[in-house]
């Protein structure tokens, strides 16, 4: 072990290899670190490709430990513990530890190289670990003439390049900088590949590139270094050069150029001395070496087969080789060693110099070639097993690819047609929104299938990396799927853009529709109202009303220009809708969803309004002329009515005063009233004139007249009332004369009745109301005060003077009552005689008999004024009708 002076990790060095120049600080040189990265990466890939994989970044790709374990399995031919497939840090550390443990199991002591540094991607630690692996598995086992590892490799290089001019291999850095040593190694083993004499020492770039290209093309040695890096570096990296040169050693050590047929026994200077000893040995060596060198290319043939059956046949051939062809050669090899030992013993016993076989036919050469043969066998067997596993995986991957591709193709079937349809061009806004939601769901579905497409592409990539024989068809199908997927993505985006654009346009149209509806509805209502008003059969009764209608109509006409602007604005909204739809290729389905009012209906109604306006003008002017004529009739009637009405009123008042203030005898009053009546009758022509004017007004259907408060009905009633009043007054005088003469009432008594009547006629209505009549009765001594008996008495008297219940007592009724009360009153004896008849000659009478024989009010009146009868023949409920007479007439009268 040698450790860096800086305290860096130690790297395994074989004890036989006294190499102490592994200085970790050199990794700090960017040029050396770059060379090591490229060389170590290429060396790892030269082995990893046998397992169908490779690395790109040496410190990154080994972090999870998986490819590190695989590399160790490939170069050792042994199985490592099963790796952990988790993605967590602990899984990666465990995998790297398994690899480091395996390295340690091969006798390599690793100091300061831990799994954590590898997992963390520490470049220096990773390169140090790979160098350790290279030393152990590629360099340590090199053995040349009792030297091994680095010294053995250097000796091999010196021996192989010794015959070549300008080549002096003393180390693994400066000695290789001009490129001639690389070309010499190749020419020594494969002279047909390089024209060495044409190479110049002063052209290192050409020399290096030539050797690298020939090695990669013909010897299957990957290019591990860049010529420029070697030339431009003062001292090329020793580890990179050693790694690269070791590949040449392993390529040539067991595959030196030999003829296709066994060589003849070689001549030698001592054959004539011991022909039976030397000749068989050398000939046997030649045959064995020829067989090994012929067999190794067969074992190193890595031409893959396409099918599992072909690969299994190769494995069977290899097993046949081990079972049939190799065992005899093992015996031959053993016999050669026995013969060589026997020969040397005999020579030593004979005091002869030791036998030195010609170059290439030494026992060590046979052992080295045999070692290479076994290495080739092991590699060939591992390769075949890996190939079988690869083919199994390929079959599995191919089937998996076909299944996933079939599922995906089934899912995509019809999707392009769905995405390219133009269904949104004829859809409504709500339908477009529904299509957009449906498309969003499809996009989610599309995104969910992204993983499957990536899996299909990954499987196809893996099939290509594993060199699947039917990769062209897989690639074609994968390419078609990927192109179709890209097309679906583009179509999906295009459809979304189209749907969103159409939605935006339809939203604009919808807003215009809504604005149209909001403005069209009131305008349409206005036009309908205007048409209704213009066609309305108006009825007016005066000039003011018709002039009001004309004024309103003129105001309406003044609004028509503004209304027309509104109509044009509404029509412009609809025109904008059509413009948007036409420009964007939208096929509008149906009408405005917010209204049933069409632009045509608005225009039709507007034209109708324009037609109705002049018709209304004519109708209003005709009505104005008519109302002017009616106003003349009103004025004419009112002039006469305003004279007749007050005249009638005056006469009515005069008659009232006459009836109250009449003087003289009744006969004189009668004469005066008849003369007054005649003067009234003579006024009749004025009433007739009014009737004629009223007839004209009725024919003109005039129902009001602001110029007068008098109507013909009012005047006619007043006239009739005037005639009736004068006639009634005359009749009252005539009745008073009859009453006077019949009852012998003097003129003074009539005058007294009139005076009393007029006194209580407070409102001068010519009749006494109930309360006025009650006051009059009280003044005359009647007991009609506000008590139960008084109310009954007053009700009895009102029944006499007002039998029709009119609530008023006329003067004639008053005279009749007063004259009856004064001339026709029954005596007390007459009253007693009447009760005696009702009582059937008994001294008492019962309430039942009174109610049966008298009207109810009179019966109750009598019962209220009779005391209970207390005579000897009294019965229950008997009443004393004598007490009624006493109460009515008093003791003196009785």
């Amino acid at each position: 072990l040698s450790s860096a002076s800086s305290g860096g990790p130690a790297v395994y060095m074989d004890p036989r290899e006294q190499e102490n120049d592994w200085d970790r600080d050199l990794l700090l040189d960017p040029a050396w670190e770059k060379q090591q990265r490229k060389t170590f990466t290429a060396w790892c890939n030269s082995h990893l490709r046998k397992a169908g994989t490779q690395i790109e970044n040496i410190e990154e790709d080994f972090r999870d430990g998986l490819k590190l374990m695989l590399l160790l399995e490939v170069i050792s031919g042994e199985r490592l513990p099963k790796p952990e497939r988790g993605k967590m840090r602990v899984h990666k550390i465990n995998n790297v530890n398994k690899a480091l443990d395996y390295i340690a199991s091969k006798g390599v002591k690793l100091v300061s190289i831990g799994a954590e540094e590898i997992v963390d991607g520490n470049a220096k630690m990773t390169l140090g670990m790979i160098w350790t692996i290279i030393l152990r598995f590629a360099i340590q086992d090199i053995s040349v003439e009792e030297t091994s590892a680095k010294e053995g490799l250097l000796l091999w290089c010196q021996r192989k390049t010794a015959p070549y001019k300008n080549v002096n291999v003393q180390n693994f850095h400066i000695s290789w900088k001009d490129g001639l040593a690389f070309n010499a190694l190749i020419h020594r083993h494969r002279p047909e590949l390089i024209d060495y004499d044409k190479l110049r020492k002063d052209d290192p770039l050409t020399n290096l590139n030539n050797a690298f290209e020939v090695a990669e093309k013909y010897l299957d040695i990957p290019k591990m270094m860049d010529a420029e890096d070697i030339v431009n570096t003062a001292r090329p990296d020793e580890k990179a050069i050693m790694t690269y040169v070791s590949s040449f050693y392993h390529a040539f050590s067991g595959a030196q150029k030999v003829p296709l047929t066994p060589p003849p026994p070689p001549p030698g200077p001592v054959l004539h001395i011991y022909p039976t000893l030397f000749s068989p040995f050398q000939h046997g060596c030649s045959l064995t070496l020829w067989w090994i060198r012929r067999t190794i290319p067969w074992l190193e043939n890595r031409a893959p087969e396409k099918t599992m059956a072909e690969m299994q046949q190769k494995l069977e051939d290899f097993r046949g080789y081990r079972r049939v062809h190799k065992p005899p050669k093992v015996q031959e090899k053993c016999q050669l060693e026995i013969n060589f030992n026997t020969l040397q013993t005999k020579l030593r016993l004979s005091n002869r110099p030791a036998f030195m076989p010609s170059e290439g036919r030494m026992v060590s050469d046979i052992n080295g070639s045999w070692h290479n043969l076994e290495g080739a066998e092991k590699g060939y067997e591992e390769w075949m097993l890996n190939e079988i596993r690869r083919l199994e995986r390929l079959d599995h991957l191919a089937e998996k690819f076909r299944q996933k591709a079939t599922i995906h193709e089934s899912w995509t079937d019809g999707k392009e047609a769905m995405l390219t349809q133009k269904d949104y061009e004829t859809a409504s806004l709500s339908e477009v929104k529904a299509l957009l939601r449906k498309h969003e769901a499809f996009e989610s579905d599309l995104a969910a299938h992204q993983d499957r497409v990536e899996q299909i592409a990954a499987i196809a990539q893996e099939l290509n990396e594993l060199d699947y024989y039917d990769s062209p068809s897989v690639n074609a199908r994968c390419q078609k799927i990927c192109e179709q997927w890209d097309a679906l993505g583009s179509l999906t985006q295009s459809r979304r853009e189209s749907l969103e654009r159409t939605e935006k346009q339809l939203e604009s149209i919808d807003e215009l529709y809504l604005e149209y509806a909001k403005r069209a509805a009131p305008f349409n209502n206005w036009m309908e109202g205007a048409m209704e008003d213009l066609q309305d059969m108006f009825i007016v009764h005066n000039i003011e009303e018709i002039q009001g209608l004309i004024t309103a109509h003129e105001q309406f006409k003044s609004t028509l220009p503004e209304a027309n602007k509104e109509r044009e604005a509404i029509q412009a909204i609809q025109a904008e809708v059509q413009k948007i739809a036409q420009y964007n290729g939208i096929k509008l389905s149906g009408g405005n969803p917010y209204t049933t009012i069409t632009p045509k209906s608005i225009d039709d109604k507007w034209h109708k309004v324009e037609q109705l306006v002049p018709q209304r003008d004519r109708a209003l002017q005709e009505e104005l002329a008519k109302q002017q004529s009616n106003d003349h009739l009103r004025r004419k009637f009112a002039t006469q009515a305003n004279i007749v009405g007050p005249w009638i009123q005056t006469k009515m008042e005069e008659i009232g005063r006459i009836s109250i203030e009449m003087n003289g005898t009744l006969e004189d009053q009668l004469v005066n009233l008849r003369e007054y009546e005649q003067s009234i009758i003579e006024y009749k022509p004025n009433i007739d004139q009014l009737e004629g004017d009223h007839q004209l007004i009725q024919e003109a259907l005039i129902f009001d007249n602001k110029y007068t408060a008098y109507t013909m009905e009012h005047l006619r009633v007043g006239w009739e009332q005037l005639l009736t009043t004068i006639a009634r007054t005359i009749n009252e005088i005539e009745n008073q004369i009859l009453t006077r003469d019949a009852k012998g009432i003097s003129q003074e008594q009539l005058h007294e009745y009139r005076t009393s009547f007029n006194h209580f006629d407070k409102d001068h209505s010519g009749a006494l109301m109930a309360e006025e009549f009650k006051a009059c009765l009280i003044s005359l001594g009647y007991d009609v005060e506000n008590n139960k008996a008084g109310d009954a008495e007053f009700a009895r008297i009102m029944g006499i003077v007002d039998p029709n219940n009119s609530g008023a007592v006329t003067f004639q009724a008053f005279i009749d009552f007063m004259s009856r009360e004064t001339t026709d009153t029954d005596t007390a004896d007459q009253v007693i005689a009447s009760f005696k008849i009702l009582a059937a000659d008994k001294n008492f009478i019962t309430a039942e008999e009174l109610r049966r024989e008298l009207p109810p009010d009179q019966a109750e009146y009598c019962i209220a004024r009779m005391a209970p009868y207390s005579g000897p023949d009294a019965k229950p409920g008997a009443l004393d009708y004598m007490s009624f007479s006493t109460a009515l007439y008093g003791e003196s009268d009785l």
Side-chain angles (χ1 to χ4, degrees), residues 161 164 176 178-190 194-196 199 204 206-212 214 248:
T161 60
Y164 294 89
W176 303 83
D178 58 8
L180 293 177
F182 288 108
N183 285 279
L185 282 178
I186 297 172
H187 186 268
R188 180 62 182 269
H189 297 88
R190 299 288 299 274
I194 291 179
D195 188 353
Y196 186 83
L199 299 177
T206 301
N207 299 337
L208 290 168
N209 284 325
N210 181 66
F212 294 167
V214 169
F248 285 88

Side-chain angles (χ1 to χ4, degrees), residues 254-436:
Q256 298 180 16
K257 187 172 180 65
V258 294
L260 296 178
T261 58
V270 293
L271 290 181
H272 64 281
I273 302 175
Y274 297 108
T276 58
L277 295 177
F278 294 162
S279 181
F281 172 77
Q282 295 212 98
H283 184 66
C285 285
S286 296
L287 290 176
T288 302
L289 289 172
W290 175 83
W291 178 83
I292 292 173
R293 291 168 183 168
R294 187 190 65 180
T295 305
I296 286 178
W298 174 69
L299 294 173
E300 290 181 342
N301 180 19
R302 299 294 188 266
E305 301 296 339
K306 294 182 178 181
T307 65
M308 180 66 70
E310 293 173 342
M311 202 64 211
Q312 287 175 342
Q313 182 59 47
K314 268 195 172 185
L315 181 61
E316 189 62 31
D317 293 343
F318 176 72
R319 289 170 178 167
Y321 153 79
R322 277 188 166 177
R323 187 174 59 251
V324 177
H325 301 286
K326 185 179 178 182
K329 297 302 178 182
V330 173
Q331 294 178 0
E332 290 178 7
K333 174 177 175 294
C334 292
Q335 189 62 45
L336 284 173
E337 291 177 351
I338 294 171
N339 292 341
F340 179 77
N341 292 330
T342 300
L343 177 60
Q344 295 290 41
T345 300
K346 290 181 178 183
L347 289 173
R348 187 172 62 254
L349 293 175
S350 302
N351 292 320
R352 294 282 185 176
F355 172 65
M356 180 64 66
S358 61
E359 183 181 354
R361 290 181 176 85
M362 299 178 67
V363 172
S364 60
D365 291 333
I366 295 175
N367 288 334
S369 296
W370 192 265
H371 177 75
N372 291 338
L373 175 69
E374 290 182 336
E377 284 182 10
K378 184 177 182 181
Y380 188 60
E381 183 179 23
E382 290 175 352
W383 172 78
M384 284 191 294
L385 293 176
N386 288 333
E387 275 296 295
I388 290 173
R389 286 195 292 269
R390 182 181 71 85
L391 289 174
E392 287 177 345
R393 176 159 179 77
L394 282 175
D395 289 343
H396 171 71
L397 288 175
E399 181 59 27
K400 188 175 181 180
F401 175 84
R402 285 189 291 271
Q403 290 178 355
K404 287 185 176 293
T406 301
I407 293 173
H408 176 76
E409 289 165 350
S410 175
W411 180 82
T412 58
D413 185 33
K415 294 297 187 294
E416 289 188 15
M418 181 271 289
L419 292 172
T420 54
Q421 60 184 344
K422 306 289 185 179
D423 50 349
Y424 51 82
E425 291 183 350
T426 58
S428 63
L429 177 59
S430 59
E431 291 171 339
V432 168
K433 288 182 179 294
L435 287 175
L436 195 54

